[in-house]
């Protein structure tokens, strides 16, 4: 299923510009670098919704360390890469059953951001399907107390990056295995993850859907809120140069992945 916005010429306009972008890559290093490009280099876009899906990988928060948040030996044996985000928050497992939702927003007047507004398209989209989700005090999305999405954010010069990892039909056994820290491990993160019981959204939807159909439900809800929503066109040469540089210098760089910034003294 491919999302197509309605005829924009017939829709009322909001004051800001609203774009969406869907990554065709499942490479976690590419996708996190693309997200950084949209956040840092595309300040001309007031609001961007970005959707991406990764092959098996682990994303930890800026202030965490791999050995304290995962079974590091198991990750290496399974060749599952680990990445450090620029945002805070906890460690999450990604695979192709996991939908990543990013919202990037300008606040030129520096008047702050309403964090509860960012996941609203997800909550509303599921409500149309008869599924009630709640937002926990920590900003997690939950279904009947079970976690289905965890969020993190970063801000820089009046621009916010908010992203949420949504469990749709992820391998929950692998998730549990990867995020089980061996008892003998003594490493500590500066900010430790909070463990929660989880479930997949595919198991609670009233009808069977693919992860791409699930993504399009959210896009349709965003379009209801912002009728001028349109696909973002990238300058491929500029974007690829940025993505290659930040990938090599930061996200795939061992000195960043295992930086002491995440380790508690």
């Amino acid at each position: 299923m491919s999302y197509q916005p309605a005829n924009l010429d017939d829709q009322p306009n909001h004051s800001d510009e609203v774009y969406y972008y869907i990554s065709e890559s499942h490479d976690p290093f590419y996708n996190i670098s693309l997200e950084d490009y949209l956040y840092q280099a595309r300040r001309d876009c007031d609001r961007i919704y970005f959707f991406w899906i990764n092959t098996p990988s682990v994303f930890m928060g800026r202030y965490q360390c791999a050995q304290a948040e995962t079974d590091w030996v198991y990750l290496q044996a399974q060749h599952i890469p680990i990445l450090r985000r620029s945002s805070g928050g906890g460690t999450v497992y990604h695979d192709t059953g996991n939908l990543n939702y990013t919202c990037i927003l300008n606040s030129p007047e520096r008047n702050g951001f309403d964090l509860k507004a960012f996941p609203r398209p997800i909550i509303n989209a599921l409500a149309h399907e008869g599924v009630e989700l709640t937002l926990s005090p920590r900003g997690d999305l939950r279904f009947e107390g079970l976690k289905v999405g965890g969020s993190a954010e970063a801000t820089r010069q009046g621009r916010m990056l908010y992203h949420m990892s949504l469990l749709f039909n992820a391998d929950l056994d692998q998730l549990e295995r990867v995020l089980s820290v061996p008892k003998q491990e003594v490493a500590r993160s500066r900010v430790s993850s909070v463990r929660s019981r989880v479930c997949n959204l595919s198991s609670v939807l009233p009808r069977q859907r693919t992860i791409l159909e699930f993504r399009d439900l959210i896009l349709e809800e965003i379009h209801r809120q912002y009728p001028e929503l349109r696909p973002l066109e990238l300058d491929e040469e500029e974007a690829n140069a940025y993505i290659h540089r930040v990938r090599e210098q930061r996200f795939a760089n061992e000195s960043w992945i295992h930086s002491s910034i995440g380790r508690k003294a």
Side-chain angles (χ1 to χ4, degrees):
M1 181 176 181
S2 177
Y3 176 75
Q4 296 292 332
N7 186 342
L8 302 178
D9 295 335
D10 297 330
Q11 303 292 342
N13 291 319
H14 289 253
S15 59
D16 59 351
E17 298 174 327
V18 184
Y19 297 94
Y20 73 92
Y21 192 84
I22 298 170
S23 175
E24 295 181 359
S25 174
H26 289 176
D27 176 356
F29 291 100
Y30 175 88
N31 281 330
I32 195 173
S33 301
L34 171 56
E35 183 187 60
D36 194 76
Y37 168 76
L38 298 175
Y39 174 46
Q40 304 278 19
R42 293 306 308 265
R43 286 179 170 267
D44 57 307
C45 300
D46 292 323
R47 184 185 295 262
I48 303 172
Y49 290 94
F50 173 46
F51 294 86
W52 42 302
I53 296 171
N54 292 326
T55 52
S57 48
V58 173
F59 282 62
M60 60 183 170
R62 182 182 181 94
Y63 302 109
Q64 297 191 304
C65 73
Q67 290 81 0
E69 302 298 332
T70 67
D71 187 332
W72 177 238
V73 173
Y74 179 77
L75 279 183
Q76 291 177 302
Q78 297 296 311
H79 305 289
I80 298 174
I82 189 163
L83 300 88
R84 180 186 301 281
R85 300 189 305 269
S86 297
S87 61
T91 298
V92 292
Y93 171 72
H94 289 187
D95 63 21
T96 54
N98 177 291
L99 179 67
N100 296 290
Y101 161 92
T102 299
C103 182
I104 298 166
L105 178 64
N106 284 338
S107 179
E109 298 176 1
R110 307 293 176 89
N111 55 2
F113 299 90
D114 178 8
L115 290 180
K116 293 181 180 179
F118 288 104
R120 198 164 293 147
I122 305 167
I123 295 171
N124 291 347
L126 271 294
H128 289 305
E129 297 294 299
V131 177
E132 182 180 355
L133 300 182
T134 57
L135 196 62
S136 79
R138 295 184 58 84
D140 299 334
L141 272 186
R142 295 183 177 262
F143 173 78
E144 296 184 352
L146 299 175
K147 184 175 177 178
V148 296
S151 65
E153 62 277 337
T155 57
R156 184 176 182 182
Q157 299 176 340
R159 188 166 172 86
M160 172 164 273
L161 166 70
Y162 173 98
H163 40 206
M164 175 167 278
S165 172
L166 292 161
L167 296 170
F168 184 72
N169 58 356
D171 184 339
L172 299 185
D173 290 335
Q174 182 75 306
L175 180 153
E176 180 66 24
R177 181 69 177 84
V178 164
L179 301 184
S180 295
V181 182
K183 292 181 179 179
Q184 68 272 20
E185 182 56 64
V186 295
R188 294 290 181 270
S189 290
R190 286 178 62 188
V191 176
S192 298
S193 297
V194 176
R195 306 300 182 188
S196 301
R197 295 174 60 217
V198 299
C199 77
N200 277 317
L201 285 165
S202 61
S203 67
V204 302
L205 286 170
R207 53 166 290 194
Q208 186 175 0
R209 291 186 181 273
T210 68
I211 193 169
L212 299 185
E213 289 172 334
F214 171 58
R215 178 201 68 197
D216 288 350
L217 287 176
I218 301 171
L219 267 168
E220 288 165 8
E221 181 58 36
I222 296 169
H223 188 254
R224 274 191 284 268
Q225 184 176 357
Y226 298 100
E228 72 277 26
L229 179 71
R230 65 192 67 221
L232 177 62
E233 300 291 336
L234 299 186
D235 179 323
E236 291 191 12
E237 184 176 354
E238 175 193 85
N240 288 336
Y242 183 104
I243 290 165
H244 176 76
R245 182 176 68 255
V246 77
R247 175 181 181 141
E248 296 303 313
Q249 295 179 357
R250 171 170 275 204
F251 294 115
N253 191 308
E254 291 293 314
S255 65
W256 168 251
I257 296 169
H258 297 289
S259 169
S260 60
I261 191 175
R263 189 177 292 271
K264 187 174 182 180

